[in-house]
Amino acid sequence: MKLLTHNMLSSKCLKGVVTGYPLTIIAKDVKVSEVDFNQEFVSRVLPKLDWNVLWKAAERLGHVGELPQTLIENYENDPEFLKKVHHVLLEVEVINGELVCPETGRKFPITSGIPNMLLNDDEV
Amino acid sequence: MFSRTRPEHKAPPDLFYDEKEAQKYTGNSRMIEIQTQMCERAMELMLLPEDEPCFLLDLGCGSGLSGSVLEENGHYWVGVDISRAMLDVAQERETEGDLILGDLGDGLPFRAGAFDGAVSISALQWLCNADKVNHNPQKRLYKFFSSLFACLSRTARAVFQFYPENSKQVELITAQAMKAGFYGGIVIDYPNSTKAKKFFLVLMTGGSAPLPKALGVEESLPQTQAQFTSKREKFKKGNRKNVKSNKEWILEKIERRRKQGKPVREHLSKFTGRSRPTKF
């Protein structure tokens, strides 16, 4: 699971959960792979992201690098910055671990890179 | 009552798509070709802004065949599917999209406004079945569509290719989609053909817009009156040649095949349907 996906995931489909965001990552294995850099995509997707959540998730996985805790202005014209964001968003992957719902503490296991978001019958 | 050929009648999707079934989606070139074609058509119906990389959702992504089409067009995607075996195949194929194991009928686990669009190839009909005692297709479809509406951005479109069993299923699906707030409707490609006929549900989030045109349908004004003719068809007997060898019949047949989406020769030669010279 990439951090871009994590930034969009929530557990609000659980019964009784209102926002269910952000999910806490407990990572056992983290893999870094190389993905082609697409500057346009990164600058287009940035306004949609929750920067705080991304920064905290990256820090938790130990890949935060030199990213600032608050989003800089005029990032569209800063390819160096966008490259760092790209690395965190698309190249860092959680292979094994867990996602934890912030409201109920329900754990969603991640096995070989695929988070299991299936719900039990009583949770729907 | 139930046809045996429809996979949704055999087993629930998480059990039906086991390792054996999933392998078909990597080995069977015909299956791959059909899936790819349908996804390309769905992309066309989605009307994404040109030359801009988008963040898309693939619902019922399976082995990621449709995802590969999205990648080729330069988009990034996240796939959701209920079958672990199919997702494993997708990983083997090294697709770039992120995969999530989840049941569409329980609602999508994403926050608001996350995606620029959604595609789904041959998945929606699975939601019309109640595979467990506590499943209610109507409720599950509503939950799915309302969570989808929430996680799409406001100009996004969602395009579903699906195989409805009967008109009631189409009605059930569209009613739930409209109830969740979507605009749109069904586009049927090649409606005159039994094989090439394809159903696409095109849903829009931001205001109603005209539905895209279906393939293989002729433009014609609806006729409200019978056409007046002063000529009387005379019944000619005895003067009948072989019907199939005349030019009109051949042209009509070509037209009929074109409507059904079957391959026809585009260029007609001047010799089409012409009688051969008489012998000495």
Side-chain angles (χ1 to χ4, degrees), chain B residues 124 160 162 164 169-171 173-174 178 184-189 198-203 211-212 214:
Chain B
L124 203 53
F160 301 81
F162 68 117
Q169 272 195 358
V170 179
E171 216 171 279
I173 289 171
T174 40
M178 301 301 135
I186 305 267
V187 175
I188 307 175
D189 280 357
K198 291 281 175 305
F199 284 79
F200 289 91
L201 175 66
V202 181
L203 297 179
L211 273 181

Side-chain angles (χ1 to χ4, degrees), chain A residues 2 5 44 48 112 117, chain B residues 52 91 98 101 111 116:
Chain A
K2 299 180 175 85
T5 315
R44 253 175 66 88
K48 285 189 183 187
S112 61
M117 303 299 285
Chain B
E52 271 184 34
Q91 263 188 343
D98 237 349
L101 184 64
R111 68 184 174 87
D116 301 318

Side-chain angles (χ1 to χ4, degrees), chain B residues 105-242:
Chain B
D106 290 343
L108 298 167
F110 299 106
R111 68 184 174 87
F115 298 96
D116 301 318
V119 280
S120 163
I121 305 298
S122 318
L124 203 53
Q125 70 271 11
W126 287 96
L127 285 180
C128 296
N129 289 34
D131 294 322
K132 287 184 188 169
V133 187
N134 54 348
H135 277 190
N136 177 343
Q138 199 173 337
K139 274 189 189 161
R140 279 164 58 79
L141 276 167
Y142 176 68
K143 200 162 191 185
F144 164 64
F145 281 124
S146 51
S147 63
L148 176 66
F149 189 87
C151 74
L152 289 179
S153 63
R154 275 304 74 105
T155 51
R157 283 182 174 209
V159 179
F160 301 81
Q161 183 279 323
F162 68 117
Y163 296 108
E165 207 180 320
N166 47 39
S167 56
K168 271 192 180 167
Q169 272 195 358
V170 179
E171 216 171 279
L172 173 75
I173 289 171
T174 40
Q176 296 312 313
M178 301 301 135
K179 200 173 151 196
F182 282 108
Y183 293 90
I186 305 267
V187 175
I188 307 175
D189 280 357
Y190 305 113
N192 299 319
S193 160
T194 37
K195 262 191 176 172
K197 190 175 183 177
K198 291 281 175 305
F199 284 79
F200 289 91
L201 175 66
V202 181
L203 297 179
M204 296 168 261
T205 50
S208 78
L211 273 181
K213 286 204 181 67
L215 298 178
V217 188
E218 267 186 43
E219 285 283 302
S220 64
L221 294 170
Q223 275 193 348
T224 48
Q225 286 177 334
Q227 227 124 70
F228 173 75
T229 69
S230 60
K231 214 173 90 191
R232 262 189 127 181
E233 268 321 304
K234 274 184 194 151
F235 186 66
K236 290 175 203 158
K237 211 180 172 186
N239 195 16
R240 268 166 112 185
K241 281 187 198 162
N242 187 7

Side-chain angles (χ1 to χ4, degrees), chain B:
Chain B
M1 185 180 149
F2 282 155
S3 74
R4 287 181 185 272
T5 49
R6 293 189 77 93
E8 357 18 319
H9 293 159
K10 288 183 184 159
D14 42 337
L15 301 178
F16 178 79
Y17 289 109
D18 52 5
E19 278 85 8
K20 200 179 140 205
E21 194 66 29
Q23 274 310 320
K24 287 186 190 170
Y25 282 79
T26 44
N28 189 329
S29 61
R30 184 176 151 69
M31 240 169 183
I32 295 174
E33 195 193 320
I34 294 178
Q35 292 260 328
T36 316
Q37 269 175 13
M38 292 193 295
C39 188
E40 275 163 4
R41 173 72 177 136
M43 289 270 312
E44 214 175 282
L45 291 172
M46 222 171 9
L47 282 184
L48 290 171
E50 268 179 42
D51 301 328
E52 271 184 34
C54 294
F55 192 38
L56 305 175
L57 188 57
D58 187 349
L59 302 159
C61 61
S63 56
L65 289 172
S66 39
S68 310
V69 177
L70 303 179
E71 273 164 36
E72 276 166 28
N73 286 285
H75 301 300
Y76 291 76
W77 59 281
V78 172
V80 185
D81 203 287
I82 197 173
S83 158
R84 178 79 209 197
M86 289 290 266
L87 292 179
D88 286 340
V89 172
Q91 263 188 343
E92 263 171 50
R93 293 180 64 239
E94 292 182 349
T95 50
E96 283 186 18
D98 237 349
L99 307 164
I100 290 167
L101 184 64
D103 187 354
L104 299 180
D106 290 343
L108 298 167
F110 299 106
R111 68 184 174 87
F115 298 96
D116 301 318
V119 280
S120 163
I121 305 298
S122 318
L124 203 53
Q125 70 271 11
W126 287 96
L127 285 180
C128 296
N129 289 34
D131 294 322
K132 287 184 188 169
V133 187
N134 54 348
H135 277 190
N136 177 343
Q138 199 173 337
K139 274 189 189 161
R140 279 164 58 79
L141 276 167
Y142 176 68
K143 200 162 191 185
F144 164 64
F145 281 124
S146 51
S147 63
L148 176 66
F149 189 87
C151 74
L152 289 179
S153 63
R154 275 304 74 105
T155 51
R157 283 182 174 209
V159 179
F160 301 81
Q161 183 279 323
F162 68 117
Y163 296 108
E165 207 180 320
N166 47 39
S167 56
K168 271 192 180 167
Q169 272 195 358
V170 179
E171 216 171 279
L172 173 75
I173 289 171
T174 40
Q176 296 312 313
M178 301 301 135
K179 200 173 151 196
F182 282 108
Y183 293 90
I186 305 267
V187 175
I188 307 175
D189 280 357
Y190 305 113
N192 299 319
S193 160
T194 37
K195 262 191 176 172
K197 190 175 183 177
K198 291 281 175 305
F199 284 79
F200 289 91
L201 175 66
V202 181
L203 297 179
M204 296 168 261
T205 50
S208 78
L211 273 181
K213 286 204 181 67
L215 298 178
V217 188
E218 267 186 43
E219 285 283 302
S220 64
L221 294 170
Q223 275 193 348
T224 48
Q225 286 177 334
Q227 227 124 70
F228 173 75
T229 69
S230 60
K231 214 173 90 191
R232 262 189 127 181
E233 268 321 304
K234 274 184 194 151
F235 186 66
K236 290 175 203 158
K237 211 180 172 186
N239 195 16
R240 268 166 112 185
K241 281 187 198 162
N242 187 7
V243 200
K244 293 194 179 176
S245 66
N246 78 37
K247 192 169 183 179
E248 278 111 69
W249 188 88
I250 294 170
L251 292 180
E252 206 183 290
K253 169 143 189 183
I254 291 173
E255 195 47 45
R256 197 158 60 231
R257 283 178 65 86
R258 193 198 310 280
K259 275 188 196 162
Q260 291 174 341
K262 288 177 183 162
V264 285
R265 206 183 297 159
E266 279 309 314
H267 180 71
L268 290 174
S269 112
K270 65 177 180 179
F271 300 108
T272 306
R274 226 157 84 167
S275 59
R276 287 165 193 273
T278 47
K279 282 180 197 159
F280 274 109

Side-chain angles (χ1 to χ4, degrees), chain A residues 25-29 94-99 108-113 115:
Chain A
I25 304 180
I26 302 175
K28 288 197 193 104
D29 298 313
V94 182
I95 301 299
N96 287 311
E98 275 166 349
L99 290 171
F108 299 97
I110 307 173
T111 39
S112 61

